Amino acid sequence: MPDALRSADLAGLDPQDLRRVFRDGGYRGHTAGLAPGRLQCNLAIMPLAEARAFEDFCALNPVPCPLAGQSAAGDPGLPALGRDIDLRRDVPLYHVYRDGALVDRPHDISDLWRDDMVGFAIGCSFTMEAALLQAGFPMRHIERDVTVPMYRSTIETTPAGPFGGAVVVSMRPVHRDRIDEVRDLTARFPMAHGAPLHVGDPSAIGIDLDRPDWGSAVPVGPDELPVFWGCGVTPQVAMMQARLPLCISHAPGAMLVTDRDDGTGGNDDNDQQQGKTGQ
């Protein structure tokens, strides 16, 4: 079924209005280009019994998993990131995993929420795209209104408890003369994965550009290089590897849009503490 609304229809809406649209089920697509200047987040939701190990996993892998917020057990809110956030209903589309397998893609997980559920909000590279566009870097996935291409790389995360596996990366083509510029610019966004993890030959990190694991392939021009950033879909790989009886994430590309600014001030201890609730 096609989306009732397209991404272009949501341009100019503030984060609260966007979340209302998502909550009503009116849009199930990607959130790239929406709410420029605001932090967008990936989601990982799991039982309390596994939450400490997952928090350790994020701490050990801060580039693909920059932790922006963590809910109290059973509380679907994240007031430090938005006063009305409801983790059960406020992203366009969710992925539900059971025993490591994707079993459903609902737009509302209220019926799956339990008193022991803990939600983690993990920074997303969409957050830095407004700055890239302003600096004149084309965002080909936004131009084509598709989800950014994401790939499971051969780079490995540092494991914690049952969580581990490959680092997922997102790719954006960049003119070969502007690689240093894009490195310097994106390094200012630690909550959006910071500087690229890899530039150039995709086969060096086990990637075929024409076959993304999530999202849609986009062309790389003759004067461009593929540039790869850490991606917050990495926790989905880790949750699949952990084979938990139940865990939930956002659908890749369909983010939680928060009220928080884009995080260029840095990912310091104060930011981390402000992002936690009920700790």
Side-chain angles (χ1 to χ4, degrees):
M1 178 181 295
D3 296 331
L5 295 170
R6 297 187 64 81
S7 177
D9 298 322
L10 306 181
L13 294 185
D14 65 26
Q16 290 188 4
D17 288 336
L18 285 170
R19 292 195 297 269
R20 290 188 190 102
V21 171
F22 304 160
R23 192 175 298 177
D24 291 340
Y27 178 75
R28 301 189 186 186
H30 68 82
T31 57
L34 300 179
R38 299 296 182 178
L39 181 67
Q40 294 199 31
C41 288
N42 307 270
L43 284 185
I45 298 169
M46 66 195 65
L48 177 62
E50 308 296 342
R52 178 54 62 88
F54 186 78
E55 186 177 0
D56 291 342
F57 177 75
C58 292
L60 290 168
N61 300 279
V63 174
C65 306
L67 186 56
Q70 178 179 335
S71 75
D75 183 355
L78 275 176
L81 299 182
R83 67 171 183 239
D84 67 335
I85 285 175
D86 185 337
L87 296 179
R88 302 168 298 184
R89 303 185 293 159
D90 281 0
V91 303
L93 198 64
Y94 295 85
H95 275 185
V96 178
Y97 297 94
R98 293 188 183 274
D99 301 316
L102 176 64
V103 297
D104 199 7
R105 301 178 76 241
H107 79 275
D108 187 310
I109 57 165
S110 298
D111 60 336
L112 297 173
W113 190 264
R114 306 186 321 215
D115 289 344
D116 67 336
M117 286 297 192
V118 176
F120 294 86
I122 296 161
C124 170
S125 59
F126 288 174
T127 301
M128 68 188 179
E129 288 180 342
L132 289 169
L133 287 166
Q134 187 174 11
F137 291 96
M139 294 290 103
R140 200 142 295 141
H141 59 289
I142 295 178
E143 294 170 357
R144 293 173 173 240
D145 196 20
V146 297
T147 299
V148 69
M150 292 163 275
Y151 305 86
R152 193 188 306 238
S153 76
T154 52
I155 304 168
E156 288 290 312
T157 59
T158 301
F163 301 104
V167 173
V168 176
V169 293
S170 62
M171 191 282 293
R172 296 160 184 82
V174 176
H175 195 283
R176 61 182 64 247
D177 293 339
R178 303 189 72 186
I179 300 300
D180 288 343
E181 185 182 352
V182 82
R183 279 197 182 102
D184 291 343
L185 192 157
T186 57
R188 296 167 38 208
F189 294 85
M191 292 306 295
H193 308 296
L197 285 177
H198 180 71
V199 175
D201 183 7
S203 66
I205 56 171
I207 285 170
D208 178 347
L209 285 183
D210 294 328
R211 300 180 66 185
D213 294 284
W214 300 271
S216 301
V218 297
V220 178
D223 295 326
E224 296 176 325
L225 294 173
V227 179
F228 300 90
W229 281 266
C231 177
V233 176
T234 302
Q236 294 189 36
V237 172
M239 289 192 292
M240 286 188 281
Q241 177 167 308
R243 298 183 179 276
L244 304 184
L246 173 64
C247 55
I248 303 166
S249 75
H250 67 295
M255 303 298 168
L256 175 70
V257 181
T258 80
D259 298 344
R260 184 172 166 181
D261 69 23
D262 59 21
T264 54
N267 184 13
D268 58 25
D269 291 341
N270 288 335
D271 287 335
Q272 292 287 343
Q273 291 303 318
Q274 289 169 3
K276 292 185 180 183
T277 61
Q279 302 300 302

